[in-house]
């Protein structure tokens, strides 16, 4: 009894409140209420950016009934105008139970009002009946009454505090009307009444922001975000579950037990459709508009009464409307909006790409990764909203700017943490490797990044068991900033990738030399007080100079004894002098000083547990043993943020110093521990190509990332939580509003290409636009093609290899031969595949397997390029095509050493005006679309510059020419020898006397000095044993070896086409490489 009494007592106040509300509503006559006008600023198209809703608002959505949601633009009026009234006839029926026949009982006229609303630069239309106005009015009366009553709940109290008292009285009256309107003047009068009512309603914040009003005019938190483009159709619908195209997880959806219906708020934009959960405001799904996008209506296509079906490459979405008329309106309006604003996404573009050609696109190329990573670091610093990164491999501790003169400031994980703390959303996708096959430890990378900040989210894909994908990889290398700048190429942000045009082999960091003191002067005033610790101004006005400056410190390098003339070098004083904060300090100094490490803020050293070290000196590759350590020409002053520093460079720390053919990476969770001896083993230089694009092309790259991210979120249960948000693509209409541009770009035409399929992107039709673009460019090239690629596996046999690039090259050369025209093909590829193995014993099985297919493409077998050419032109093929690799040398611990330069590029240049740069190798894995996922850009020049082609004047593309000249000068030695002319890429003089002669001479010298492999002198294992048994000049006569090496120019060497040509290089039976499917290697 006591429990029942307590319940009655607790419910009594609520009953009293309900009674009071009913009494108030009965006595309330809204026609007596007057509306006080509220002043609004008229819309100005030139309103400042501050009035826009920032794109970051998509990550801050709230439940639709919350009071503090941001829907409208600040201080911008919203107006409504009823354009037309659609007069219809409603036939009301009665059913005769005995016959089950329907008989028409009465007919009345009804009007559907088309309302056009404007808010800032946004215009949209809604269709409403008379009854909808009455339903809204009743809702608002209830809401108004509810706000008058001080219900003792926290949410109600908060809501009441947000409403001004006078606003409660500002509710307009709704003149009484009827749906039974017959005469035209009745419709016209009623239209004016309803228009006035709606405009008055929208002037009062209390009622304008109420969820029923928002639903009435079809607006939400997504409606007026500038970067989402024009406002499209919105509204509450019922959506059916299922329809996703997830391999192995599709449901037939033919029975009610297979799906469920859920209430969602649907939003249609120019390039995507999404729906939200009304209770939480969370984005629950995103569908991108693509070439398969279509809208269908009717029971036959939807299997649902009043249904609308929306199809795309990724899903069939079925929604249910309230009536047949509603469904027709929705379907037609949705289709019309997408066709009007998203036409570009509905078309099948050139090469079968998902993206169209984008004119006037700022683009830039990168040869090697030093400037590439530097520009990425600068662009990351400019990010304000989003950062997208996807890599085959990512190393969080990698330094993007080198040498390291500002501590950890430019370390990737520090940059991302800094931006996350500023509110930037950072999304990273990593390839989830098969751990038994690869040691890139993506799990460690994910854990490391996720620990930095909640704004950093990392996904790994695929799950090999659930997806049954074991052989294929996500191979893209992308960095996207605010969906406005996109870096695309072959360069992972990972260990071993950083390199520059010098391709150093050694990085030991210890020499002794006399040190200039010119840059060690300090002012006493510049080292006083912590208040001086701020970043320097660009004009250097904060740095004091004058006659009172004195010698204060001397830069102390490892291996250099302390000078007695000057006090020892103090890094802490240098930091104060140059106004660097502790967080930006030089934390990589080898010094016996311990005082600097007293500062707690400076203890985050480059290598945990070790004193950091700064060494900024470079010794040119090829400098012989006779080179004096005190030779001033070997000392290079490096301009840095802390002045000129001198010393011996250590660019690669810990795992970054690598030679993966000698030994693959291990213990990646100990990033600053060396895993090979840098005093005995040279590193393997890394040659790579990257690019950056802006504007609409960057939007297209971001769109691919978003599609992959959202697909992974759906597919993997662990990512379905709200902590992993759905991503939305920005509209192309705002793509040219660039807040930041990478310097030194050129205006071009750019098209984004990709390899994608169901397993990688969740699309039902695979895309191989990169493959199609390669074939097209080669077929249509007029003068030459230049290829740098990590692999060269092609020439289809319709059994093991299917891509057509090799056959297209052979066909293009044969065409030139038949027409007696000059045509050149340059192919630069690694001398050995990038797998661990000792080539002196024949290499590992993985190395041999890739070598087999490389040689099969170039020279071995009837399907090879050379065999196809030989069949028609004999040995004349040597005038058309050249296969080369890269190699360099140095001295290490007093010994001459050599190593191949690993060519990781994925690039094609044609005719100095067309360039393809991306992540796709020339093999089936990358090109066929159904296997590895890839991304590339084809850049076509629109600006021309005068050049030379076959001795005649030629208008070359500005970007294409610059890139080709950079590559040729680098690998032929043109930067150090100005007599090497690389202007004309197809002349007889250049092709034979420069290109072929340099490659042959360099290869001959290296073989003579080092007896290096691979070599054409070794055609079987017997000759291999004999070859390595004979010593080279580097051992027998070092002095003579040095003389020979002085003849080396650049890095280019001939590719040994006949190395082990008499051996079967396919994996032997019983090896693990033999057990995997053959397509793994192709």
């Amino acid at each position: 009894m006591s429990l029942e009494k307590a319940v009655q007592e607790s419910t009594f106040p609520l009953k009293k409140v309900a009674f009071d509300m009913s009494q108030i509503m009965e006595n309330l006559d809204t026609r007596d209420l007057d509306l006080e006008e509220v002043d609004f600023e008229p819309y100005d198209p030139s309103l400042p950016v501050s009035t826009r809703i920032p794109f970051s608002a998509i990550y801050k959505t709230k439940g639709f009934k919350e009071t503090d949601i941001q829907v409208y633009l600040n201080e911008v009026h919203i107006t409504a105008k009823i354009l037309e009234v659609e007069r219809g006839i409603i036939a009301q029926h009665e059913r005769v139970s005995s016959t089950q026949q329907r008989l028409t009982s009465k007919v009345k006229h009804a009007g559907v009002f088309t309302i056009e609303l404007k808010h800032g630069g946004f215009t949209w239309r809604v269709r409403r009946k008379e009854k909808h106005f009455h339903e809204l009015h009743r809702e608002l009366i209830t809401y108004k009454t509810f706000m008058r009553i001080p219900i003792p709940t926290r949410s109600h109290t908060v809501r009441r505090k947000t409403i001004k008292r006078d606003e409660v009285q500002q509710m307009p009256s709704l003149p009484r009307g009827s749906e039974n309107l017959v005469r035209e003047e009745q419709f016209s009068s009623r239209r004016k009444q309803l228009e006035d009512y709606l405009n008055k309603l929208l002037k009062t914040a209390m009622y304008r922001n109420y969820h029923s009003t928002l639903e009435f005019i079809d607006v939400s938190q997504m409606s007026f975000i500038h970067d989402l483009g024009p406002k499209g159709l919105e509204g509450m619908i019922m959506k059916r579950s299922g329809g996703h195209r997830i391999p192995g997880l599709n449901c037939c959806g033919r029975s009610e037990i297979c799906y469920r219906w859920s209430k969602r708020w649907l939003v249609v934009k120019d390039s995507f459709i999404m729906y939200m959960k009304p209770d939480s405001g969370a984005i629950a799904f995103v569908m991108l508009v693509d070439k398969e996008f279509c809208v269908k209506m009717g029971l036959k296509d939807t299997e649902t009464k009043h249904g609308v079906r929306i199809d795309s490459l990724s899903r069939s979405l079925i929604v249910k409307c309230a009536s047949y008329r509603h469904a027709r309106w929705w379907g037609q309006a949705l289709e019309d909006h997408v066709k009007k604003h998203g036409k570009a996404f509905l078309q099948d573009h050139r090469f079968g790409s998902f993206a169209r050609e984008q004119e006037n696109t700022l683009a830039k190329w990168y040869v090697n990764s030093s400037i590439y990573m530097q520009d990425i670091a600068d662009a990351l610093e400019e990010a304000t909203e989003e950062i997208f990164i996807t890599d085959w491999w990512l190393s969080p501790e990698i330094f993007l700017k080198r040498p390291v003169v500002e501590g950890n400031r430019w370390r990737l994980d520090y940059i991302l943490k800094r931006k996350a703390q500023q509110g930037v959303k950072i999304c990273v996708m990593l390839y989830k490797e098969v751990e038994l096959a690869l040691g890139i430890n993506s799990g460690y990378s994910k854990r490391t990044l996720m620990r930095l900040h909640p704004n950093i989210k990392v996904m790994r894909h695929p799950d090999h068991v659930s997806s049954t994908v074991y052989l294929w990889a996500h191979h893209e290398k992308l960095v996207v900033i605010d969906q406005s700048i996109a870096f695309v190429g072959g360069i992972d942000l990972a260990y071993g990738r950083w390199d520059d045009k010098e391709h150093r082999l050694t990085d030991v960091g210890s020499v002794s030399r006399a040190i200039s003191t010119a840059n060690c002067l300090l002012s006493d005033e510049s080292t006083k007080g912590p208040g001086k610790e701020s970043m320097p101004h660009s004009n250097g006005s904060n740095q004091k100079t004058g006659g009172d400056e004195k010698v204060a410190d001397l830069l102390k390098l490892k291996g250099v004894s302390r000078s007695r003339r000057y006090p020892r070098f103090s890094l802490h004083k240098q930091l104060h002098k140059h106004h660097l904060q502790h967080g930006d300090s030089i934390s990589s100094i080898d010094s016996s000083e311990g005082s600097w490490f007293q500062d707690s803020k400076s203890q985050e050293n480059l290598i945990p547990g070790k004193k950091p070290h700064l060494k900024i000196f470079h010794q040119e590759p090829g400098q012989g043993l006779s080179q004096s350590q005190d030779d001033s020409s070997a000392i290079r002053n490096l301009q840095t943020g802390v002045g000129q520093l001198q010393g011996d460079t250590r660019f690669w720390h810990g795992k970054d110093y690598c030679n993966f053919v000698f030994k693959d990476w291990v213990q990646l969770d100990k990033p600053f521990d060396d895993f090979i001896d840098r005093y005995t083993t040279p590193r393997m230089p890394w040659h790579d190509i990257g690019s950056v694009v802006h504007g609409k092309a960057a939007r297209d790259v971001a769109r691919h990332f978003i599609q992959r991210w959202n697909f992974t979120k759906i597919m993997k249960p662990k990512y379905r939580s709200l902590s992993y948000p759905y991503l939305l693509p920005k509209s192309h209409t705002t793509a040219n509003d660039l807040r930041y541009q990478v310097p030194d770009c050129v205006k071009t035409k750019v098209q984004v290409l990709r390899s994608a399929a169901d397993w990688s992107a969740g699309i039902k039709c695979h895309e191989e636009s990169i493959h199609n673009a390669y074939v097209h460019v080669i077929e249509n090239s007029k003068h030459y093609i230049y290829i740098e690629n990590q692999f060269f596996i092609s020439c289809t046999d319709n059994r093991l290899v299917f891509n057509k690039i090799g056959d297209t090259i052979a066909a293009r050369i044969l065409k030139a031969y038949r027409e007696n025209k000059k045509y050149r093909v340059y192919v630069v590829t690694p001398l050995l595949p990038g797998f661990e193995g000792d080539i002196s014993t024949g290499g590992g099985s993985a190395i041999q397997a890739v070598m087999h297919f490389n040689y099969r493409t170039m020279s071995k077998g009837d399907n090879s390029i050379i065999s196809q050419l030989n069949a028609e032109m004999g040995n004349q093929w040597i005038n058309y095509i050249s296969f080369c690799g890269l190699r360099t040398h140095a001295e290490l611990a007093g010994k001459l050493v050599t190593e191949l330069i690993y060519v990781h590029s994925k690039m094609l240049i044609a005719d100095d005006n067309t360039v393809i740069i991306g992540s796709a190798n020339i093999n089936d894995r990358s090109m066929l679309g159904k296997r590895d996922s890839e991304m590339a850009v084809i850049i076509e020049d629109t600006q021309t510059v005068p050049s030379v082609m076959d001795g005649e004047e030629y208008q070359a593309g500005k970007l294409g020419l610059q890139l080709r000249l950079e590559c040729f000068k680098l690998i032929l030695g043109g930067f150090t020898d100005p007599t090497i002319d690389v202007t004309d890429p197809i002349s007889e003089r250049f092709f034979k006397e420069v290109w072929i002669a340099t490659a042959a001479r360099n290869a001959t010298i290296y073989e003579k000095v080092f007896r290096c492999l691979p070599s054409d002198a070794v055609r079987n294992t017997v000759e291999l044993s004999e070859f390595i048994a004979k010593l080279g000049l580097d051992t027998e006569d070092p002095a003579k070896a040095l003389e020979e090496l002085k003849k080396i120019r650049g890095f280019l060497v001939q590719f040994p086409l006949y190395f082990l040509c008499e051996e079967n290089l396919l994996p032997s039976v019983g090896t693990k490489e033999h057990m995997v499917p053959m397509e793994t290697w192709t």
Side-chain angles (χ1 to χ4, degrees):
M1 294 297 294
S2 59
L3 180 60
E4 293 179 359
K5 184 177 181 181
V7 172
Q8 291 177 357
E9 290 177 353
S10 63
T11 57
F12 179 74
L14 296 178
K15 291 181 179 179
K16 186 176 181 181
V17 169
F19 176 77
D20 292 341
M21 286 183 63
S22 63
Q23 291 295 316
I24 293 172
M25 292 184 67
E26 288 178 4
N27 298 324
L28 184 65
D29 188 353
T30 57
R31 290 175 296 178
D32 296 333
L33 297 178
D34 294 323
L35 177 70
E36 297 178 14
E37 292 294 330
V38 181
D39 293 331
F40 282 88
E41 292 292 332
Y43 172 65
D44 181 359
S46 61
L47 283 173
V49 176
S50 59
T51 64
R52 298 174 182 172
I53 300 176
F55 185 75
S56 56
I58 69 170
Y59 298 107
K60 303 172 184 177
T61 55
K62 299 180 180 180
F64 284 22
K65 295 185 179 181
E66 297 291 329
T67 57
D68 56 344
I69 61 173
Q70 183 177 10
V71 175
Y72 303 103
L73 304 176
N74 294 328
E75 300 181 352
V76 178
H77 200 356
I78 181 170
T79 61
K81 182 179 181 181
I82 298 181
L83 299 179
E84 61 181 7
V85 184
E86 180 182 333
R87 300 173 65 180
I89 297 177
I90 299 178
Q92 295 189 352
H93 305 281
E94 295 178 351
R95 186 176 298 278
V96 180
S97 60
S98 60
T99 63
Q100 292 298 308
Q101 295 179 351
R102 295 191 304 170
L103 301 176
T104 302
S105 60
K106 61 180 179 178
V107 178
K108 67 177 182 179
H109 293 267
V112 178
F113 300 92
T114 300
I115 309 168
E116 182 179 80
L117 297 108
K118 293 185 178 181
H119 183 50
F122 297 90
T123 302
W124 72 104
R125 295 181 180 182
V126 299
R127 289 162 62 90
R128 295 292 181 263
K129 295 181 181 180
E130 174 87 21
K131 67 175 184 179
H132 297 138
F133 282 89
H134 289 284
E135 290 170 357
L136 172 63
H137 193 64
R138 284 195 296 268
E139 284 269 358
L140 294 178
I141 291 174
T142 304
Y143 174 56
K144 173 184 175 179
T145 306
F146 193 63
M147 286 296 99
R148 286 180 169 182
I149 303 171
I151 299 176
T153 63
R154 181 176 181 181
S155 60
H156 187 73
T157 303
V158 171
R159 184 184 291 268
R160 293 188 76 212
K161 288 182 178 179
T162 62
I163 296 175
K164 299 178 182 179
R165 287 187 177 183
D166 58 343
E167 286 188 342
V168 180
Q169 303 296 330
Q170 292 174 6
M171 182 176 173
S173 60
L174 178 62
R176 289 174 178 167
S178 171
E179 290 192 354
N180 300 321
L181 303 177
V182 179
R183 297 192 303 272
E184 182 66 34
E185 56 269 21
Q186 288 179 311
F187 279 103
S188 178
S189 174
R190 189 57 178 164
R191 178 172 63 182
K192 178 62 176 174
Q193 291 174 348
L194 295 178
E195 185 178 299
D196 291 341
Y197 167 79
L198 191 55
N199 277 300
K200 291 176 181 179
L201 190 70
L202 294 175
K203 289 182 179 180
T204 309
M206 171 182 171
Y207 303 115
R208 182 176 66 243
N209 295 330
Y210 188 54
H211 65 88
S212 295
T213 307
L214 299 178
E215 187 172 343
F216 182 85
I217 62 174
D218 284 354
V219 298
S220 68
Q221 298 161 79
M222 296 294 169
S223 298
F224 308 119
I225 297 176
H226 177 71
D227 279 323
L228 289 183
K231 187 190 179 311
L233 189 66
E234 296 186 46
M236 203 71 73
I237 51 91
M238 298 294 292
K239 71 92 186 176
R240 196 174 82 177
S241 62
H244 298 283
R245 291 195 170 93
I246 301 176
L249 295 179
N250 284 331
C251 179
C252 61
R254 297 285 178 179
S255 172
E256 291 187 4
I257 63 173
C258 297
Y259 55 78
R260 67 183 183 277
W261 293 96
S262 304
K263 188 177 182 180
R264 296 290 183 264
W265 181 267
L266 190 69
V267 179
V268 181
K269 289 294 184 179
D270 58 356
S271 69
F272 68 93
I273 295 171
M274 57 167 284
Y275 55 73
M276 307 166 69
K277 295 181 179 180
D279 55 345
S280 64
I283 299 172
F285 178 71
V286 179
M287 174 189 284
L288 301 184
V289 173
D290 54 42
K291 62 183 180 182
E292 292 289 321
F293 181 88
C294 64
V295 180
K296 298 178 181 178
M297 293 162 281
L299 184 62
K300 181 180 178 180
D301 290 314
T302 65
E303 302 171 351
T304 303
K305 188 178 181 181
H306 310 322
V308 177
R309 174 174 158 185
I310 308 166
D311 286 334
S312 73
L313 284 170
S314 60
R315 186 181 181 183
S316 288
L317 174 63
I318 294 178
V319 301
K320 182 165 59 177
C321 301
S323 65
Y324 172 79
R325 182 193 293 269
H326 191 205
R328 299 295 298 181
W329 157 251
W330 262 93
Q332 192 61 51
L334 192 157
E335 193 169 29
D336 290 346
H337 180 82
V338 173
K339 284 183 177 179
K340 179 180 179 181
H341 299 286
K343 183 179 179 180
F345 303 100
L346 298 172
Q347 299 172 348
D348 195 359
H349 301 290
R350 185 179 62 159
F351 310 132
S353 173
F354 75 106
R356 68 174 177 178
E357 302 153 74
Q358 306 293 358
E359 303 282 352
N360 298 317
T361 299
L362 291 170
K364 179 181 179 179
W365 51 259
Y366 299 90
V367 178
N368 297 311
S369 61
S370 57
I371 305 301
Y372 178 81
M373 290 188 179
Q374 176 179 304
D375 278 358
I376 286 179
D378 291 335
L380 289 173
E381 281 295 306
E382 297 295 327
T384 59
E385 297 164 343
E386 296 172 323
I387 295 171
F388 301 156
I389 300 175
T390 183
D391 277 325
W392 180 81
W393 181 23
L394 184 144
S395 304
E397 298 85 5
I398 191 173
F399 287 92
L400 299 185
K401 289 190 179 183
R402 307 184 195 190
V404 182
V405 294
E406 293 183 76
N408 293 324
R409 176 174 177 80
W410 299 112
R411 213 171 85 179
L412 178 60
D413 52 353
Y414 275 66
I415 297 173
L416 297 182
K417 181 178 181 180
R418 187 161 61 244
K419 299 311 295 183
Q421 290 171 339
Q422 296 170 12
V424 177
K425 298 293 182 181
I426 300 170
C427 299
V428 181
M429 280 195 294
L430 301 177
Y431 163 56
K432 185 177 182 181
E433 75 282 8
V434 179
E435 294 181 6
L436 293 177
L438 286 171
I440 57 178
N441 202 346
S442 62
Y444 166 77
S445 299
K446 178 181 178 179
R447 292 190 301 272
T448 302
L449 293 175
M450 291 282 284
R451 282 197 295 258
L452 296 177
H453 196 276
N455 278 341
I456 300 177
K457 300 298 178 185
V458 183
M459 289 183 178
R460 295 195 301 157
H461 186 263
D463 273 346
H464 305 288
V465 176
S466 62
S467 66
T468 68
V469 176
Y470 293 95
L471 303 180
W472 317 131
H474 288 297
H475 198 240
E476 304 100 314
K477 299 93 167 56
L478 309 175
V479 178
V480 184
I481 313 297
D482 293 337
Q483 298 191 40
S484 298
I485 303 170
F487 292 85
V488 182
I491 305 172
D492 292 291
L493 302 182
Y495 295 136
R497 271 60 175 173
W498 191 95
D499 216 327
D500 57 19
K501 65 177 61 177
E502 298 180 36
H503 289 314
R504 303 168 182 84
L505 284 185
T506 63
D507 192 32
V508 296
S510 58
V511 295
S512 299
R513 64 177 65 85
I515 300 176
S516 170
T517 61
N519 299 309
C520 295
L521 300 178
L522 277 177
S523 168
D524 286 340
E525 297 295 323
S526 67
T527 62
K528 292 181 181 179
K532 303 270 184 171
E533 295 181 353
S534 61
M535 293 301 293
H537 295 285
S538 58
N539 60 10
S541 60
N542 286 346
Q543 298 182 13
K544 296 190 176 183
T545 58
D548 60 340
E549 292 183 343
K550 63 181 180 180
V551 176
D553 300 289
L554 176 65
L555 179 62
K556 187 173 184 296
L557 297 174
K558 183 176 180 180
V560 183
S561 60
R562 184 180 302 173
S563 169
R564 294 183 180 180
R565 290 185 58 190
Y566 308 109
R568 67 182 182 177
F569 174 76
S570 170
L571 178 62
H572 196 57
K573 291 181 179 180
Q574 290 282 359
L575 295 179
H576 278 288
K577 173 184 176 181
H578 296 282
H579 308 285
L580 283 175
Q581 299 179 4
H582 289 303
D584 303 329
S585 60
I586 302 178
S587 61
S588 53
I589 304 297
D590 264 344
S591 173
S592 59
E593 297 181 277
S595 59
W596 180 64
F597 298 98
Q598 304 295 325
D599 192 332
S600 61
K601 290 186 178 180
S602 301
Q603 306 235 343
E604 297 180 10
N605 300 333
L606 179 67
I607 302 178
K610 297 182 180 180
K611 290 183 179 180
H613 45 277
L614 172 67
K615 302 166 185 177
I616 307 170
F617 165 76
H618 168 65
Q619 188 172 6
E620 291 282 355
Q623 290 175 339
L625 294 170
S626 60
Q627 180 72 36
S628 170
Q629 290 179 333
D630 293 330
D631 188 348
S632 60
S633 65
I635 296 180
R636 177 170 301 180
N637 291 340
L638 206 62
Q639 296 290 340
T640 70
V642 292
Q644 289 187 338
L645 303 170
Q646 296 177 324
D648 178 25
T649 304
R650 175 165 285 190
F651 285 98
W652 298 272
H653 299 274
K655 297 297 188 298
D656 215 7
Y657 185 92
C658 59
N659 188 322
F660 46 86
V661 172
F662 174 77
K663 184 179 181 180
D664 211 345
W665 281 274
V666 294
Q667 295 183 316
L668 292 175
D669 56 339
K670 299 178 179 178
F672 297 110
D673 290 352
D674 285 1
F675 72 107
I676 59 176
D677 188 350
R678 65 178 70 218
Y679 293 92
T680 59
T681 304
R683 67 177 291 270
M684 181 171 287
W686 192 276
H687 182 77
D688 220 328
I689 303 291
S691 68
V692 64
V693 295
H694 298 68
K696 293 181 179 179
R699 291 278 204 270
D700 291 333
V701 176
R703 190 176 182 85
H704 170 75
F705 180 95
I706 289 168
Q707 185 172 46
R708 271 196 53 202
W709 176 277
N710 291 343
F711 166 66
T712 305
K713 177 177 171 61
I714 294 170
M715 186 171 183
K716 296 187 68 172
K718 67 167 65 177
Y719 300 137
R720 293 176 191 169
S721 67
L722 294 179
S723 62
Y724 284 86
Y726 276 100
L727 301 181
L728 303 181
K730 289 185 176 180
S731 174
H732 279 49
T733 60
T734 63
N736 293 326
D737 300 339
L738 297 177
R739 195 183 58 83
Y740 173 76
Q741 296 179 14
V742 175
D744 304 322
C745 288
V746 177
K747 277 192 175 182
T748 61
K749 181 172 72 174
V750 175
Q751 185 179 13
V752 178
L753 313 169
R754 67 175 179 175
S755 293
D758 55 352
W759 80 265
S760 59
I763 55 178
K764 68 177 181 180
C765 300
H766 79 278
E767 181 179 326
E768 52 179 306
S769 53
I770 302 176
H771 181 208
N772 296 335
Y774 263 83
V775 171
H776 173 85
V777 171
I778 295 169
E779 284 179 339
N780 292 276
S781 58
K782 296 180 180 180
H783 304 287
Y784 81 92
I785 58 171
Y786 173 67
I787 292 174
E788 288 184 7
N789 208 283
Q790 181 185 3
F791 294 88
F792 198 66
I793 299 174
S794 187
C795 295
T796 179
D797 59 6
N798 294 320
R799 186 171 60 89
L800 292 177
V801 181
F802 297 91
N803 80 81
K804 301 176 182 178
I805 294 173
D807 294 321
T808 307
I809 292 173
R812 181 62 188 86
I813 292 174
L814 288 172
K815 179 184 177 182
Y817 173 74
R818 293 164 188 159
E819 296 175 352
N820 196 28
K821 292 183 178 179
K822 195 169 291 184
Y823 184 78
R824 313 292 189 191
V825 176
Y826 304 91
V827 179
V828 177
T829 191
L831 294 171
L832 288 173
F835 297 92
E836 182 179 344
D838 185 359
I839 194 60
S840 65
T841 60
S845 296
I847 290 180
Q848 290 190 0
V850 176
M851 286 171 58
H852 166 83
F853 288 103
N854 279 336
Y855 284 124
R856 178 198 163 282
T857 304
M858 300 178 195
S859 59
K860 196 172 182 180
D862 295 337
N863 292 315
S864 69
I865 293 175
I866 291 178
S867 295
Q868 292 184 52
L869 299 179
N870 259 326
E872 183 165 338
M873 66 174 69
N875 289 333
Q876 290 298 312
W877 64 266
I878 63 175
N879 295 319
Y880 291 90
I881 188 168
S882 169
F883 297 99
C884 293
L886 303 179
R887 180 177 287 278
T888 188
H889 66 280
E891 44 180 272
L892 178 63
K895 295 182 179 180
L896 289 171
V897 292
T898 185
E899 186 57 87
L900 64 89
I901 297 172
Y902 193 68
V903 179
H904 192 260
S905 317
K906 298 91 169 56
M907 176 191 68
L908 180 148
I909 307 175
D911 299 337
D912 282 355
N913 56 31
T914 303
V915 177
I916 299 177
I917 297 174
S919 65
N921 296 311
I922 296 181
N923 58 15
D924 282 0
R925 291 185 66 106
S926 293
M927 290 294 171
L928 295 187
K930 297 180 181 179
R931 301 184 181 182
D932 290 359
S933 61
E934 307 284 2
M935 175 65 62
V937 291
I938 178 170
I939 305 173
E940 297 169 277
D941 276 299
T942 55
Q943 300 180 20
T944 60
V945 292
S947 184
V948 179
M949 190 73 70
D950 196 18
E952 298 181 358
E953 292 184 358
Y954 180 75
Q955 290 298 312
K958 186 175 182 180
L959 183 142
L961 176 63
Q962 290 176 348
L963 176 56
R964 198 259 304 167
L965 292 176
E966 178 77 10
C967 292
F968 278 18
K969 287 180 180 180
L970 172 65
I971 64 180
L972 290 168
F975 288 117
T976 56
D977 187 349
T979 64
I980 298 176
D981 184 8
V982 298
T983 306
D984 191 336
I986 68 171
S987 68
E988 288 291 321
R989 181 182 178 280
F990 171 77
F991 185 70
K992 293 182 178 179
E993 298 178 22
V994 178
W995 184 272
I996 298 295
T998 300
R1001 180 178 64 249
N1002 288 350
T1004 300
I1005 294 172
Y1006 278 128
E1007 185 171 320
K1008 183 178 181 181
V1009 172
F1010 296 104
R1011 304 291 290 173
C1012 49
L1013 295 171
S1015 168
D1016 275 334
V1018 177
R1019 303 197 175 201
N1020 52 55
T1021 54
V1022 175
E1023 293 179 354
L1024 177 62
S1025 301
E1026 295 173 353
F1027 184 87
I1028 62 177
K1030 184 177 180 181
L1031 300 178
L1033 286 179
D1034 63 324
T1035 303
E1036 292 183 336
D1037 191 345
K1040 187 176 181 180
L1042 284 171
E1043 291 301 315
E1044 289 291 328
L1045 291 174
K1046 290 180 180 179
K1047 302 175 185 177
I1048 294 289
R1049 291 294 180 270
F1051 306 111
L1052 193 71
V1053 295
Q1054 277 185 339
F1055 193 93
L1057 294 174
Y1058 305 103
F1059 177 62
L1060 294 179
C1061 63
E1062 298 174 6
E1063 298 290 334
N1064 181 6
L1065 298 178
L1066 288 174
S1068 303
V1069 177
T1071 62
K1072 62 180 182 180
E1073 287 81 7
H1074 181 268
M1075 296 172 65
V1076 301
M1078 196 61 68
E1079 55 262 35
T1080 304
W1081 311 110
T1082 63

